[in-house]
Amino acid sequence: MPSPQPLRGRTAIVTGAGRGLGRAEALELARLGAHVIVNDYGQPGRDGTGEASAAPAEEVAAEIRAAGGLATAHLGDVADIEQARELVRLAVDTGGTLDVLVNNAGILRDRMVFSMTEDEWDSVIRVHLKGHFATTRFAAEHWRERAKATGRPVLGRIVNTSSEAFLAGSAGQPNYAAAKGGIVGLTLSTAEALRRYGVTANVICPRARTRMTEDVFAGLAEPADGGLDPLDPAHVAPLVGYLASPAAAGISGQLFVVHGGMVAVVERPRIAVKFDAAEGVFGVEELDELLTPYYAGRPPHETFAAVEVLGLKRG
C-alpha cells in the first residue's frame, strides 16, 4: 500500500503559493510530508485596522505549520534571475536538497492583440515564461550536480503550469496564450535534458477559480447546494501531489488538463497529411493545387487549436 506521506523528508518549492491554486498545491505537498518553500511575491502590509499583516506567503507557511507540517516563506520575484537562484538555494539550505519544483506564479493582462500595449505583453511573458525558466535553471543545475557527484539518478520533479488558453487559442489573451505555449516547449526540452539524471518534468493545464481568474469565470456560479465548486483549486492539487511523488517516476514530458474531478491526458500533435513536390521544389502554383482543395470546405474554426478541451468535464 502506498505511503500516506510519500514526500516525507523531501523539500518542495511552490511559486505563486500565497493564494489560490498555488496555496492549494502547497497545502497538498505539505500534507504528503514535504517541507514546502512557499514562494509569493509580496511584502507584509496593513490590514483594515492599520495593524501589520503578514505577506500571503507567510500566511500560507504559518497555516502549514499550524497543521503540523513544515514550511518556509520566500517573498522574492521568481522572474528575477538572482531571486530565483536565492529561492533554490533557500530550499537546499533548508532541506538539504531540493526534490520538487512546482511553477505556478503568474499574472493576467488581458486585451485583444490589436489593443495590447508593450508593457502588457512584456509583463505577462516575464512573470509566466521567464519565471518558469529562472527557477528551472537553478533547480536543474542542482539536480545535475547531485547526480554527477553520486554517480546515480536523483529524484527530481518539475510540475509546470500552462493553460487551456494555449491549447484553444484564447482570442483575448495573446500574451498569456503565448507564454503558456512557451511553458509547454520549456517543459518538453527540460524533460529530455534531465531524463538521464532521474528528473521528470510535466505540465498541467488547470481550470480553477482564483483571484487571478475571477473575471474569467465570473459567469459560472458556485454550486448552490454548498457542494465542492468544480472550479475549486482542490481539484487540481492532488494531481500535482501525484506528479511530485516517487510513484510518477515513469511519467515525463506529458501534458494534463485538470479540473472538476477530471484529469485528461493530452496527446502530442500528429501529422494529418504530407505533400511532396513533384520536382523536388515547390512552386506557388503547385501548392495552390494541393493545399487549396485540401482546406476547401473546412469550418473556419477548425485550426491547429484544440478547442474541444474547453468542453471537457467529468462524466
Side-chain angles (χ1 to χ4, degrees), residues 195-257:
R195 190 182 302 277
R196 71 181 69 180
Y197 304 118
V199 178
T200 67
N202 294 287
V203 61
I204 63 171
C205 294
R207 192 184 301 178
R209 195 190 305 273
T210 67
R211 188 179 68 160
M212 191 178 84
T213 62
E214 59 186 355
D215 291 338
V216 176
F217 298 125
L220 299 176
E222 298 184 40
D225 61 3
L228 185 63
D229 184 356
L231 294 172
D232 194 300
H235 288 294
V236 177
L239 176 61
V240 172
Y242 166 72
L243 292 174
S245 74
I251 302 173
S252 192
Q254 304 299 323
L255 188 150
F256 303 88
V257 174

Side-chain angles (χ1 to χ4, degrees), residues 3 24 68 83 87 97 117 164-165 175 179 207 231 245 251 270 307:
S3 167
Q83 292 183 53
L87 172 59
T97 65
T117 67
E164 293 168 291
N175 48 3
R207 192 184 301 178
L231 294 172
S245 74
I251 302 173
R270 298 185 182 276
V307 294

Side-chain angles (χ1 to χ4, degrees), residues 3-8 24-36 64 67 69-70 237-238 241:
S3 167
Q5 288 200 312
L7 298 181
R8 178 173 289 279
E25 293 166 344
L27 293 175
E28 178 68 2
L29 294 180
R31 187 186 70 81
L32 296 176
H35 184 143
V36 183
I64 290 171
L70 299 172

Side-chain angles (χ1 to χ4, degrees), residues 32-57:
L32 296 176
H35 184 143
V36 183
I37 309 300
V38 182
N39 162 267
D40 201 271
Y41 185 46
Q43 300 301 317
R46 299 281 175 180
D47 62 20
T49 66
E51 294 294 320
S53 61

Side-chain angles (χ1 to χ4, degrees), residues 13 37-41 43 72-94 98 134-135 137-139 141:
I13 290 171
I37 309 300
V38 182
N39 162 267
D40 201 271
Y41 185 46
Q43 300 301 317
T72 303
H74 179 268
L75 309 185
D77 174 7
V78 293
D80 179 293
I81 202 76
E82 288 305 319
Q83 292 183 53
R85 187 199 303 268
E86 176 193 306
L87 172 59
V88 171
R89 185 182 297 123
L90 174 64
V92 175
D93 290 347
T94 300
L98 170 63
T135 55
R137 159 68 177 81
F138 297 110
E141 181 181 37

